[in-house]
């Protein structure tokens, strides 16, 4: 039997070029995933929760490998949505991923337009149409995400709120620069940030909750935030975040880690009179091994802070009815480490830590490293972001088909089981919307 299969593959191979291979791969994947769809699974509510497995999501007890492409409803006039869905279907995709940019929907604080004024902002209509077209849906409700949306998709009033802005080691603001402009980096430790997010979620989450798979809808997963790694400063521990909220939480964790203040002072070689007086290191000045505990505690806190923020966002969604589907997060390439993936997925709130990177034709070594890391550590080796076309934050950078082709083959070779193609269908009008 194996000899016959090899013979058939050998006969077919010369007639398939590279483009056809990618299309066939997608169609084959979609066909496999469609096994999990049934007439009963397309309509009605009361379905079982979606779970994560090694080879895909488990939807109604059946394997559903996720092959997704990004389609952002707010970038296109709603009359074009049916045509765009048909294009995704012809590519062999079984899932559509869409982002919900806070900045696009907010009219003013506490007031939002989800289709009442502009039809292209009708998220509910878009999700319903996706189901009608036979797609499952992944939703990225923010509050932050990058790439597709300028300024992290946050309203200007939040970005320039001093209570929300992250702090550097010198207690100044950190400015994040992109091709679309610059803005102060928001802090994931700001209490006011979560208060504002609650207002946004109060308007958004009922739309999603009624369209989850468990409610008879097509949504099989939601992302918890996307502003991870301190806006690309994770590798630089003495840059961010010295926000007052972060310092208070840091000292609270130290008081739980050390049995007494005397124990901390012995480890640090200091003479603090209370935990409230403990200051994190703002420069690396260690001269010997005995000086390291304070620096290591700060680095550990910054890594833990990302998981803490993700958990809080996930709980906020759950409190508003978004339950019964996997909550995933996106781990940037420079923060892909065993402690991050394993620790994040071990929490009750986060089900899947997906990886992302900006792959190019020269990045095979990086691609191999990331895919092997995810295949070895993640509950479901899933690439949340494969870059294609243009991203708003990298509008002048184009990913040619050869790069995407290489990245796809490398991912399959090294253990990836599913992915989402980023910026798959896009228009330049989106840039004007978010500038």
């Amino acid at each position: 039997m194996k000899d016959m299969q090899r013979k058939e593959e050998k006969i077919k191979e010369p007639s398939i070029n590279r483009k056809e291979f990618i299309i066939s791969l997608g169609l084959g994947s979609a066909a496999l995933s469609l096994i999990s769809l049934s007439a009963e699974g397309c309509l009605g509510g009361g379905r079982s929760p979606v779970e994560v497995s090694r080879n895909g999501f488990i939807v109604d007890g059946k394997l559903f490998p996720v092959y997704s492409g990004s389609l952002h409803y707010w970038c296109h006039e709603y009359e074009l949505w049916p045509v765009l869905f048909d294009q995704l279907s012809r590519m062999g995709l079984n899932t559509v991923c869409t982002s919900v940019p806070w900045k696009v929907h907010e009219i003013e604080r506490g007031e939002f337009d989800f289709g009442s004024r502009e039809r292209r902002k009708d998220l509910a209509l878009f999700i319903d149409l996706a189901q009608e077209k036979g797609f499952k849906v992944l939703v990225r409700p923010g509050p932050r995400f990058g790439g597709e949306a300028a300024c992290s998709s946050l309203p200007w009033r939040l970005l320039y709120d001093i209570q929300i802005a992250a702090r550097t080691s010198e207690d100044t603001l950190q400015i994040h620069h992109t091709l679309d402009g610059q803005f102060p980096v928001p802090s994931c430790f700001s209490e006011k940030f979560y208060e504002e997010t609650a207002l946004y979620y109060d308007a958004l989450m009922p739309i999603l909750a009624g369209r989850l798979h468990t409610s008879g809808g097509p949504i099989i997963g939601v992302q918890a935030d996307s502003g991870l790694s301190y806006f690309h400063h994770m590798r630089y521990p003495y840059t961010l975040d010295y926000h007052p909220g972060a310092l208070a939480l840091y000292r609270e964790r130290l008081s739980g880690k050390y049995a007494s203040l005397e124990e901390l002072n012995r480890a640090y070689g200091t003479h603090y009179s209370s935990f409230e007086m403990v200051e994190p290191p703002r420069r690396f000045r260690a001269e010997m091994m005995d000086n390291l505990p304070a620096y290591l505690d700060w680095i550990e806190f910054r890594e833990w802070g990302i998981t803490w923020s993700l958990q809080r966002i996930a709980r906020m969604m759950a409190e508003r009815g978004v339950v019964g589907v996997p909550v995933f997060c996106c781990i940037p390439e420079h923060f892909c480490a065993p402690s991050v993936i394993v620790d994040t997925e071990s929490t009750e709130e986060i089900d899947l830590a997906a990886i992302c990177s900006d792959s190019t034709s020269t990045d095979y070594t990086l691609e191999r490293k990331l895919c092997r890391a995810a295949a070895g550590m993640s509950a479901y080796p899933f690439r949340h972001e494969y870059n294609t076309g243009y991203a708003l934050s990298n509008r002048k950078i184009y990913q040619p088909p050869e790069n995407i082709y290489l990245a796809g083959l490398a991912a399959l070779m090294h253990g990836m089981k599913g992915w989402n193609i980023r910026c798959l269908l896009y228009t330049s009008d989106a840039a004007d919307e978010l500038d």
Side-chain angles (χ1 to χ4, degrees):
M1 176 63 73
K2 291 183 179 179
D3 292 336
M4 293 177 63
Q5 290 177 344
R6 293 193 191 100
K7 184 177 180 181
E8 290 177 357
E9 291 172 357
K10 185 175 181 181
I11 294 174
K12 293 179 180 179
E13 184 179 358
S15 64
I16 301 179
N17 59 34
R18 295 193 304 176
K19 180 178 179 181
E20 290 171 336
F21 171 79
I22 295 297
I23 296 175
S24 300
L25 174 65
L27 289 173
S29 303
L32 175 63
S33 64
L34 288 175
I35 296 175
S36 65
L37 298 177
S38 62
E40 180 182 0
C42 294
L43 298 172
R47 288 183 274 181
S48 59
V50 180
E51 299 178 350
V52 176
S53 77
R54 182 65 182 168
N55 295 309
F57 288 179
I58 302 299
V59 181
D60 290 332
K62 299 178 181 179
L63 179 65
F64 186 90
V66 180
Y67 301 103
S68 173
S70 292
L71 172 56
H72 304 307
Y73 58 96
W74 43 275
C75 293
H76 310 273
E77 295 301 327
Y78 78 97
E79 293 90 350
L80 296 177
W81 293 350
V83 177
L84 297 176
F85 276 121
D86 290 340
Q87 291 178 352
L88 291 179
S89 181
R90 286 196 292 272
M91 294 179 68
L93 302 174
N94 59 16
T95 305
V96 61
C97 178
T98 194
S99 300
V100 187
W102 186 343
K103 185 175 181 179
V104 166
H105 292 284
E106 181 174 278
I107 301 171
E108 58 183 45
R109 186 177 187 272
E111 183 179 355
F112 303 90
D113 175 17
F114 284 102
S116 59
R117 297 189 182 186
E118 296 185 61
R119 293 296 299 276
R120 67 187 180 92
K121 298 181 181 180
D122 194 334
L123 174 61
L125 179 63
F126 177 83
I127 295 174
D128 292 344
L129 181 59
Q131 183 174 28
E132 181 181 323
K133 291 289 186 177
F135 288 94
K136 298 298 184 184
V137 177
L138 299 176
V139 181
R140 302 175 64 196
R144 299 167 292 190
F145 54 83
E148 301 91 336
C151 299
S152 198
S153 87
L154 296 174
W156 288 111
R157 63 181 185 83
L158 268 64
L159 292 174
Y160 287 94
D161 190 322
I162 193 64
Q163 297 182 52
I164 293 177
R167 303 295 201 280
T168 69
S169 59
E170 298 178 348
D171 202 30
T172 59
L173 305 186
Q174 177 68 41
I175 305 302
H176 185 65
H177 300 273
T178 70
L179 294 177
D180 292 284
Q182 56 189 19
F183 59 91
V185 172
S187 174
C188 65
F189 298 102
S190 167
E191 193 62 32
K192 186 173 183 180
F193 175 77
Y194 293 102
E195 294 173 359
E196 295 289 344
T197 300
L199 291 177
Y200 173 53
Y201 276 6
D202 286 342
L204 170 60
M205 292 304 153
I207 298 174
L208 303 183
R211 291 167 175 80
L212 300 174
H213 174 78
T214 51
S215 300
I219 299 176
I220 59 172
V222 294
Q223 181 180 6
D225 207 7
S226 187
L228 303 181
S229 71
Y230 302 95
F231 281 75
H232 308 292
H233 284 80
M234 191 63 221
R235 289 176 291 183
Y236 312 103
Y238 313 111
T239 52
L240 295 176
D241 184 343
Y242 294 84
H243 186 279
L247 299 185
L249 197 57
Y250 168 69
R251 292 161 181 152
E252 180 182 327
R253 278 185 59 80
L254 289 180
S255 65
K257 178 176 181 177
Y258 292 94
S260 66
L261 186 62
E262 290 72 19
E263 182 182 345
L264 179 141
N265 280 327
R266 283 196 301 270
Y268 286 12
T270 54
H271 300 86
Y272 290 116
S273 58
S274 68
F275 280 103
E276 288 71 23
M277 299 296 293
V278 178
E279 280 292 320
R282 297 173 184 260
R283 293 287 188 276
F284 185 79
R285 295 190 173 94
E287 296 179 353
M288 58 185 68
M289 293 289 290
D290 291 343
N291 300 144
L292 291 180
Y295 297 95
L296 296 177
D297 282 346
W298 175 245
I299 292 172
E300 179 186 34
F301 168 77
R302 292 177 85 247
E303 293 186 1
W304 171 86
I306 289 181
T307 302
W308 174 84
S309 177
L310 290 171
Q311 289 178 279
R312 186 164 182 178
I313 291 294
R315 286 195 297 268
M316 292 176 69
M317 292 192 291
E319 290 166 358
R320 291 161 178 79
V322 178
V323 294
V325 298
V327 177
F328 64 92
C329 66
C330 186
I331 303 298
E333 61 189 57
H334 52 271
F335 194 36
C336 185
S339 61
V340 178
I341 295 178
V342 176
D343 291 351
T344 301
E345 291 185 351
S346 66
T347 65
E348 294 183 1
E349 294 86 357
I350 306 299
D351 302 289
L352 174 63
I355 62 173
C356 65
S357 72
D358 298 331
S359 300
T360 68
S361 58
T362 61
D363 282 342
Y364 173 77
T365 301
L366 172 62
E367 195 69 27
R368 179 181 61 185
K369 173 184 175 182
L370 293 174
C371 293
R372 286 182 173 179
M377 294 181 288
S378 181
Y380 172 38
F382 180 73
R383 277 295 291 274
H384 172 251
E385 293 182 352
Y386 267 129
N387 284 344
T388 62
Y390 294 88
L392 281 181
S393 60
N394 301 288
R395 208 179 303 169
K396 305 299 182 182
I397 300 175
Y398 174 65
Q399 292 283 356
E402 291 78 9
N403 292 7
I404 304 165
Y405 171 74
L406 177 62
L409 292 182
L412 289 171
M413 182 187 304
H414 296 293
M416 299 309 295
K417 305 289 187 178
W419 55 75
N420 174 64
I421 304 175
R422 181 184 185 186
C423 302
L424 188 59
L425 295 172
Y426 222 58
T427 68
S428 59
D429 293 340
D432 299 330
E433 177 68 39
L434 287 169
D435 279 347

